[in-house]
Amino acid sequence: MTVSAFALRGVIAAVLTPFDDRGEPDAAKAIPYYRELLNAGCDGLNVMGTTGEGVSIALGARLKFMRAIAESGLPRDRLIVGTGATALGDAIELTRAAYDLGFAAALVIPPFYYRDASPEGIERFYGALVDRAVPTGGKLLLYNFPRMSGITFSPELVDRILQTCREAIAGIKDSSNDAELQTQLRERFPSLALFPGSESSLGALRSRGFAGCISGSVCLWPQLAQEVWKTGDESRSQELARLRAGLQGNSLIGAVRMHVALQQNDAGWRRSALPLQ
């Protein structure tokens, strides 16, 4: 099946959203930090994904933040934005804005409240989203994160969605940490850009035909991650995997916030949107 080509590859940081003391997204703080990451080794950024706590931000505030980032002068062809929501209408409004503002792609997690949604229901959700929000040539990435959504993008479900959405689906971010599933998706859909959600095995991904990674922790070591992606050097790959493993056992978002606050010498980076702390 023909799918929409998606050019962005490599090390993509799923970035934090900074919050001001009123709990609102702080674009003025985000923009220079995002620029710093792009200059430090990140090929791209995923804005307002899981690490960016997008689903905890009110619809109007999400749209306002998206607009500020799009108008900041940051290279929009290197920016993916999370537009998933439990309500189809909200997902449509956010996704339509992503394309109107010129982001490279929208990343959409399935609606995540009704865990007994059928494959047909998920297929129809994405079909309606594409019909009402994705322009011709627009790139949409499926977001497989079963721990958060309760939905697993099995090869069979992806095939159903592709049949309905035609060339609009350009790739998948897979945060399942299921190597077998990732291999199945890679083999079944070779034309989709497939991004694992961790840099732990980044050194081997390129040779296996993966598009790179979209990870919330590569912001802590972008230069090392870029070196591993480009060279596949075994010792550097092991170092990268060790660093990532060092974050296990903690809240990943909390750990990344702590490290970024230290790196930036700004305790404000430790603020999360409730209910996270």
Side-chain angles (χ1 to χ4, degrees), residues 47-265:
V47 178
M48 288 201 305
T50 299
T51 308
E53 302 174 59
V55 296
S56 293
I57 301 170
L59 179 63
R62 289 175 77 173
L63 292 166
K64 181 180 178 181
F65 188 77
M66 287 168 60
R67 191 173 302 110
I69 299 303
E71 294 173 354
S72 68
L74 291 170
R76 288 172 294 175
D77 60 342
R78 296 170 65 184
L79 303 178
I80 299 167
V81 62
T83 62
T86 53
L88 174 61
D90 289 348
I92 288 170
E93 187 169 355
L94 289 161
T95 303
R96 185 180 293 141
Y99 298 111
D100 289 344
L101 291 168
F103 286 93
L107 174 67
V108 185
I109 198 167
F112 45 84
Y113 182 78
Y114 293 106
R115 299 297 180 98
D116 57 351
S118 67
E120 180 186 7
I122 300 300
E123 173 192 349
R124 292 181 63 187
F125 177 92
Y126 281 99
L129 179 66
V130 167
D131 285 345
R132 296 168 61 182
V134 181
T136 301
K139 282 85 172 170
L140 189 144
L141 305 180
L142 303 176
Y143 187 6
N144 187 43
F145 201 173
R147 184 170 68 86
M148 304 300 278
S149 70
I151 303 296
T152 298
F153 281 105
S154 66
E156 294 74 25
L157 179 55
V158 172
D159 192 56
R160 290 186 67 136
I161 293 170
L162 289 177
Q163 294 289 342
T164 296
C165 298
R166 303 170 298 281
E167 71 278 1
I169 307 300
I172 304 172
K173 178 189 176 185
D174 179 68
S175 293
S176 68
N177 293 318
D178 185 336
E180 182 178 352
L181 175 60
Q182 290 173 357
T183 298
Q184 292 173 352
L185 293 171
R186 175 73 268 148
E187 292 176 352
R188 180 84 166 264
F189 309 105
S191 58
L192 288 178
L194 184 56
F195 297 92
S198 169
E199 67 272 33
S200 296
S201 302
L202 184 61
L205 293 181
R206 193 168 194 167
S207 62
R208 294 170 55 202
F210 287 83
C213 73
I214 302 176
S215 168
S217 54
V218 292
C219 67
L220 303 179
W221 31 77
Q223 293 173 326
L224 175 60
Q226 185 59 237
E227 180 184 351
V228 169
W229 171 247
K230 285 183 175 178
T231 69
D233 180 84
E234 182 62 27
S235 64
R236 300 294 274 168
S237 297
Q238 291 177 3
E239 180 181 357
L240 183 62
R242 178 183 59 79
L243 287 168
R244 169 70 187 218
L247 300 177
Q248 301 302 318
N250 301 292
S251 159
L252 179 65
I253 296 172
V256 172
R257 282 198 176 279
M258 181 187 72
H259 283 288
V260 171
L262 291 170
Q263 290 175 349
Q264 298 292 310
N265 193 29

